[in-house]
Amino acid sequence: MSVAFPEDEVRNYQSIYHENQRGAKALRDFQDGVVALVEQYGDGRAGSSGKGLRGRGFDVDSKVQVFETVIRGVGGLLSAHLFAIGELPIDGYTPKLARTFKKKKLQKGEVPAISWPGGFRYDGQLLRLALDLAQRLLPAFYTTTGMPYPRVNLRYGIPFYLNSPLNRGSGSDTEEFTMDENPEITETCSAGAGSLVLEFTVLSRLTNDPRFEQLAKRAFWAVWDRRSSIGLLGAGVDAENGQWIGPYSGIGAGIDSFFEYALKTHILLPLTEAENSPETFLAAWHEAHAAIKRHLYSGIHHPHYVNVHLSTGSPQAYWIDSLGAYYPGLLALAGEVEEAIETNLLYTALWTRYAALPERWSVRDGHVEGGLGWWPGRPEFIESNYHLYRATRDPWYFYVGEMVLSDIKARCWTECGWAGLQDVRTGEKSDRMESFFLGETAKYLYLLFDPDHPLNRLDAPYVFTTEGHPLIIPKAKSPVVRRKAPATRSIQVLQNSELRDTCPSSPSALPFSISVTAARPNMALGRDEQVFIPRDVMGDMNDPSFTRVRDVVMLDVIIQLENDAPQENTAAPTGSSEELYDNDDDDDYDDYEEEEMSNRKTRRDSSSVSSKKTHDSPSQSQYKTMLSSLFRHVTSVLRDPAATLVPQPKPQPTLYPFTKLPAIAPTGLGAAGVIDVPDAPDSSIGPQTAPLIWKTIFFAGQACSGKLPDSAPRNHEVIIIRRGGCTFHDKLSNIPAFTPIFASLKLVIIIDHEKASEEDGFPEGAGSGLFRPLIDKRQVTPKGVLRRDAISMVMVSGGDETEAVFRRCRSVGIRRRYHVESQGKVVGNVHVI
Ligand code: DMJ
């Protein structure tokens, strides 16, 4: 596949946008946001200016997760502070120091004041708020293991962890928290305990308060020291006793950002010889990576990482998770570009298949694992594509980014923001927008498509935290008092010349902007993988190497069934069930044979039964009750002018389930192509209110005994005919001439008398034992005149059972089948769904 998406083009396209939007407006929005935050929550000082309209900093009675608060709250504030003081770049912003009359000594968390528009002086408000928040988390670090407790109350600390050294012998303060019968959970995840180093180190350096850096590093090494003898980490650990909770080891959920922080701490911290230096973090990364490569990496089929037993390395589970998609990006940062490229490909294939990433996917079974099909807007896959693009400059990653962007736009946009997907298979949205969607997902996409963004040009050791906040240590803040690490630490710098700490230069692009990734030799992707592409995602494929081809023989008839379940609060269905049945009187009716008459009678009977179920008319006594209650209500409203009419509960729409029948189109001189109408939804979509395209059906029996009533094709969109008794041509010839209008006949469905069986694969089997009907002569009207518009016909199997299904149906549609061809050959493992 050739992928041409040159960086220049992206630049041209974006320059127009940038001139208007980036720079000035973005800077204004940022500054307005900071001013508003300070107004609401104070400036982080102890005095009166520290009290905002809503509160004093983070002084709230709220139990929060330590890890999430650090990566989202502390990290976000620190990163914003670094932008505010100009340590991280914003185009067009050069901080100007405010004029001060007296030179005053800076307090902790203060920076020399910078003048902002509107008279605001930025003097470190965000940094002090970060400090306030981080200080409130410190009680969580009172453990004997050095790993923090998972939760803390921002106002009261950790009175609920009764075994903490902080609470031993403490008095009344804890009592109100000990009432709870369930002891507070002390399990934390490795990522949660070990991924605080970046934020806390930057905070320490900026405030000259070493506590945060020391505690975060102590926690990091406490996790690392518990690695198994084969160098692997578990996902969950008890912060009190230091025991692993379960035996699994992987790279994803629970562990992910630990590895990220090992490498990124090395990048962030300026080089130094001191203990706990960047070298030791680099060594931890190399050792962790080596263990992952040895025990978790699977090069079979598409390279990926499995889950293994922590101590033995024996395989435990064959799924990968969406969280683990960050790892190729981390590898790219570490210079392991080849491994990064190949392990990112399986995630790419998954995104192509689901137009998002399911939370867990079974590599062994090839489907969503354990029902974990959601995608809450997670960034990891996009993050890796961004880092891979930066490392390789391969236009492939633009192509992937474009796919991701258009899928997100198509599937996640709502009036109030960007929803996650509850299930990537159905597209059902979740009523939630996670902060990481903007903090990471949108940010990495933006940075991918903006090669000239100042962050992409910044030649300095900065990193994105695990929440996507850029951090840097200002040069002036580099020296810091380091705690001496205990002698028991087993960190040694690995003396292996193969271990990299720099990125190799990106491979030179192939001529004509062809993607190096797409042109990889022996790429297994697509050869043994079943790839499922939703038709709406794929649209009309116009790739020179691949063609989407519509199946002209097989298709599916989709049937929306009546809902027989008793409905509470049922609103009248949009299309009355009567519509489905013919109840016209017709002049030609007398010519019509007995069989058809009984057919009509049954229909009328069933129609009335169905109508009774859904539109039961209220009995006299029910009317009485309704009227008297309405009367009482109205009179009470009249008596009391303050009273209002109580709103009645909104009627709930009735939902109707779907089923599908494989159908086959005829061949021969008299075969018309299958009518071209929009595809009905897949029957697995679940019950829906909206009806399918056709709502009127005529049941014509075998249609062999002469002309059908004129109303059959004029007033019915579908005619159902049973197979047998005469030829297909004869059956069609018995359909009166009609003018094709909105309400007239669109499709004849022949029901084969074969009863479809399980062995046939019904209803999923492609053919369900269907043979292709032959209409050997051109279609004519009952008078033998050549039909101007040949009638579209398909055949389904199933005999009486199928007819019964149609008699219970509310509406009918068709869904075409597609396959993908490459140079005239069917690509058997690509399925268009
Ligand atoms: C983010 O909050 C962080 O990246 C975290 O480390 C784990 N992943 C989520 C988003 O998926």
Side-chain angles (χ1 to χ4, degrees):
M1 188 185 305
S2 77
V3 178
F5 209 148
E7 214 169 76
D8 280 355
E9 233 171 70
V10 176
R11 273 203 193 103
N12 287 343
Y13 169 71
Q14 291 196 326
S15 60
I16 310 160
Y17 173 77
H18 285 165
E19 269 158 33
N20 305 330
Q21 296 297 323
R22 207 177 72 189
K25 179 165 187 314
L27 176 60
R28 222 172 29 248
D29 288 349
F30 170 63
Q31 291 177 323
D32 290 350
V34 174
V35 174
L37 181 79
V38 171
E39 205 170 83
Q40 298 296 325
Y41 295 99
D43 68 359
R45 289 195 169 93
S48 58
S49 61
K51 175 113 181 55
L53 297 173
R54 287 201 199 184
R56 176 179 285 283
F58 293 92
D59 181 23
V60 223
D61 179 7
S62 173
K63 197 196 279 182
V64 298
Q65 283 196 35
V66 174
F67 171 63
E68 298 293 350
T69 309
V70 170
I71 65 170
R72 300 186 195 214
V74 178
L77 287 164
L78 287 176
S79 187
H81 168 74
L82 290 164
F83 279 109
I85 60 171
E87 286 291 341
L88 286 171
I90 302 177
D91 270 352
Y93 177 55
T94 320
K96 289 201 178 55
L97 287 188
R99 278 217 243 142
T100 40
F101 297 109
K102 270 194 260 160
K103 234 193 166 183
K104 73 171 187 128
K105 193 169 173 293
L106 294 176
Q107 303 296 309
K108 191 169 173 182
E110 282 184 342
V111 295
I114 298 165
S115 285
W116 277 7
F120 186 85
R121 288 167 155 230
Y122 184 78
D123 62 9
Q125 289 86 340
L126 297 172
L127 176 60
R128 291 192 296 276
L129 286 170
L131 181 64
D132 172 57
L133 181 55
Q135 285 184 147
R136 293 175 186 281
L137 305 177
L138 290 184
F141 289 82
Y142 279 86
T143 60
T144 45
T145 59
M147 292 180 285
Y149 284 116
R151 289 183 182 75
V152 70
N153 182 297
L154 288 176
R155 182 174 290 160
Y156 299 111
I158 55 157
F160 33 79
Y161 292 120
L162 303 180
N163 297 327
S164 164
L166 190 64
N167 293 329
R168 273 186 214 136
S170 69
S172 56
D173 261 10
T174 61
E175 251 141 51
E176 65 178 285
F177 291 91
T178 56
M179 309 297 285
D180 195 346
E181 280 170 15
N182 304 318
E184 190 68 30
I185 290 167
T186 52
E187 174 189 348
T188 183
C189 59
S190 304
S195 322
L196 310 166
V197 188
L198 295 176
E199 290 84 352
F200 273 16
T201 299
V202 171
L203 181 63
S204 280
R205 304 289 173 108
L206 292 175
T207 57
N208 294 323
D209 181 342
R211 289 177 301 166
F212 304 100
E213 180 172 355
Q214 287 177 2
L215 288 170
K217 284 183 173 174
R218 187 174 74 132
F220 178 94
W221 296 121
V223 175
W224 180 243
D225 285 349
R226 285 174 170 74
R227 68 194 181 282
S228 68
S229 56
I230 56 172
L232 298 177
L233 297 174
V237 61
D238 189 314
E240 276 183 353
N241 65 25
Q243 301 293 314
W244 292 118
I245 306 287
Y248 278 33
S249 182
I251 55 154
I255 314 183
D256 46 8
S257 49
F258 182 89
F259 305 123
E260 201 181 331
Y261 275 39
L263 180 70
K264 288 183 175 175
T265 303
H266 161 73
I267 297 171
L268 183 75
L269 295 179
L271 292 176
T272 157
E273 291 302 309
E275 199 169 14
N276 263 357
S277 73
E279 297 306 335
T280 53
F281 281 91
L282 181 62
W285 156 252
H286 280 317
E287 195 177 327
H289 172 231
I292 290 168
K293 190 82 194 271
R294 179 173 169 78
H295 299 289
L296 271 55
Y297 174 83
S298 163
I300 309 167
H301 304 308
H302 314 305
H304 64 280
Y305 304 94
V306 296
N307 296 273
V308 303
H309 193 281
L310 183 58
S311 314
T312 64
S314 62
Q316 299 290 307
Y318 297 94
W319 46 256
I320 56 172
D321 60 8
S322 165
L323 282 158
Y326 77 99
Y327 196 68
L330 184 61
L331 288 170
L333 275 183
E336 307 289 348
V337 180
E338 184 52 31
E339 187 183 343
I341 293 172
E342 62 173 25
T343 52
N344 191 51
L345 286 174
L346 181 54
Y347 288 110
T348 314
L350 282 186
W351 188 288
T352 313
R353 171 168 169 181
Y354 293 106
L357 279 193
E359 184 73 358
R360 254 191 213 178
W361 190 78
S362 166
V363 182
R364 188 187 52 193
D365 305 333
H367 54 60
V368 170
E369 167 91 13
L372 278 66
W374 57 83
W375 181 69
R378 287 199 190 284
E380 288 77 8
F381 174 59
I382 293 117
E383 176 184 350
S384 281
N385 278 284
Y386 165 68
H387 287 306
L388 272 158
Y389 174 72
R390 302 299 308 166
T392 63
R393 304 292 157 124
D394 189 325
W396 167 268
Y397 299 102
F398 281 151
Y399 182 80
V400 174
E402 198 191 10
M403 164 178 78
V404 167
L405 189 59
S406 78
D407 288 340
I408 292 175
K409 279 164 71 180
R411 307 186 89 192
C412 302
W413 174 244
T414 68
E415 258 177 61
C416 308
W418 297 91
L421 295 176
Q422 193 53 42
D423 192 325
V424 296
R425 293 162 294 186
T426 61
E428 184 196 344
K429 294 187 179 70
S430 56
D431 186 10
R432 195 180 165 99
M433 178 169 117
E434 293 280 356
S435 66
F436 50 68
F437 179 79
L438 292 182
E440 298 187 75
T441 310
K443 189 183 289 167
Y444 287 120
L445 276 170
Y446 190 101
L447 289 173
L448 170 69
F449 287 115
D450 187 1
D452 287 336
H453 190 280
L455 282 174
N456 283 333
R457 298 191 315 252
L458 184 59
D459 185 13
Y462 81 97
V463 291
F464 290 98
T465 67
T466 191
E467 198 65 8
H469 301 303
L471 287 182
I472 192 166
I473 295 180
K475 282 206 182 77
K477 298 286 181 184
S478 296
V480 77
V481 186
R482 281 203 176 75
R483 177 180 65 98
K484 210 169 165 21
T488 50
R489 297 270 181 265
S490 55
I491 300 301
Q492 280 165 16
V493 180
L494 297 184
Q495 299 301 327
N496 182 340
S497 57
E498 283 184 7
L499 298 181
R500 289 204 182 92
D501 63 349
T502 54
C503 279
S505 54
S506 28
S508 45
L510 291 179
F512 311 118
S513 294
I514 289 174
S515 159
V516 177
T517 306
R520 283 165 66 81
N522 305 321
M523 190 170 63
L525 194 72
R527 205 170 53 197
D528 51 3
E529 181 73 18
Q530 301 296 311
V531 179
F532 295 79
I533 311 179
R535 64 189 65 196
D536 51 337
V537 167
M538 191 167 79
D540 284 328
M541 207 175 212
N542 78 38
D543 187 290
S545 319
F546 293 94
T547 327
R548 187 185 77 164
V549 181
R550 188 188 254 187
D551 195 328
V552 289
V553 179
M554 294 304 302
L555 66 153
D556 292 297
V557 172
I558 308 292
I559 304 170
Q560 187 184 38
L561 301 167
E562 278 298 350
N563 186 341
D564 294 337
Q567 300 287 314
E568 278 178 23
N569 228 346
T570 306
T574 44
S576 150
S577 56
E578 256 100 318
E579 276 183 88
L580 285 171
Y581 304 100
D582 168 47
N583 48 15
D584 274 329
D585 287 323
D586 200 282
D587 303 344
D588 299 327
Y589 188 70
D590 291 344
D591 304 343
Y592 205 42
E593 69 175 28
E594 271 301 304
E595 188 191 350
E596 272 79 5
M597 284 180 62
S598 69
N599 202 348
R600 282 165 69 101
K601 183 169 179 320
T602 324
R603 275 194 326 270
R604 283 204 172 115
D605 292 345
S606 63
S607 160
S608 65
V609 170
S610 153
S611 135
K612 194 161 191 311
K613 264 185 214 146
T614 47
H615 313 288
D616 217 356
S617 52
S619 65
Q620 243 184 339
S621 69
Q622 282 172 313
Y623 267 128
K624 269 191 188 160
T625 323
M626 277 160 57
L627 279 174
S628 70
S629 106
L630 182 65
F631 183 72
R632 259 185 280 122
H633 192 69
V634 171
T635 44
S636 75
V637 170
L638 290 175
R639 266 201 311 272
D640 176 3
T644 51
L645 281 167
V646 179
Q648 295 304 303
K650 266 205 181 149
Q652 293 300 307
T654 310
L655 297 171
Y656 302 91
F658 293 102
T659 188
K660 84 171 168 197
L661 295 169
I664 191 162
T667 184
L669 258 188
V674 176
I675 182 169
D676 201 8
V677 287
D679 273 338
D682 185 16
S683 55
S684 63
I685 188 179
Q688 300 286 316
T689 308
L692 299 172
I693 191 162
W694 300 314
K695 297 177 221 57
T696 47
I697 301 183
F698 185 87
F699 291 84
Q702 286 189 324
C704 294
S705 322
K707 186 183 165 208
L708 302 187
D710 284 344
S711 65
R714 276 186 207 157
N715 304 340
H716 301 87
E717 295 153 313
V718 177
I719 295 183
I720 306 278
I721 301 178
R722 296 297 294 261
R723 190 181 154 211
C726 57
T727 66
F728 295 114
H729 181 266
D730 292 344
K731 290 171 193 286
L732 293 181
S733 304
N734 282 333
I735 298 175
F738 63 99
T739 314
I741 53 164
F742 183 72
S744 66
L745 180 63
K746 304 293 180 313
L747 183 69
V748 167
I749 301 178
I750 306 282
I751 301 180
D752 193 353
H753 31 245
E754 286 303 314
K755 194 168 174 266
S757 68
E758 283 289 321
E759 293 87 72
D760 289 334
F762 180 84
E764 295 295 338
S768 301
L770 284 168
F771 77 93
R772 201 162 178 199
L774 173 69
I775 309 175
D776 52 354
K777 284 179 281 188
R778 297 181 71 184
Q779 291 186 24
V780 292
T781 65
K783 290 193 174 138
V785 179
L786 214 57
R787 267 190 211 281
R788 194 160 354 131
D789 300 296
I791 298 169
S792 192
M793 179 194 115
V794 297
M795 187 160 82
V796 298
S797 62
D800 291 345
E801 264 179 40
T802 295
E803 184 168 336
V805 169
F806 278 111
R807 286 183 181 281
R808 273 189 58 225
C809 93
R810 180 174 182 259
S811 58
V812 180
I814 53 172
R815 188 169 166 83
R816 305 303 299 264
R817 297 183 184 185
Y818 297 89
H819 62 267
V820 172
E821 285 182 9
S822 179
Q823 289 161 8
K825 291 203 182 105
V826 175
V827 184
N829 58 338
V830 176
H831 307 274
V832 183
I833 53 171

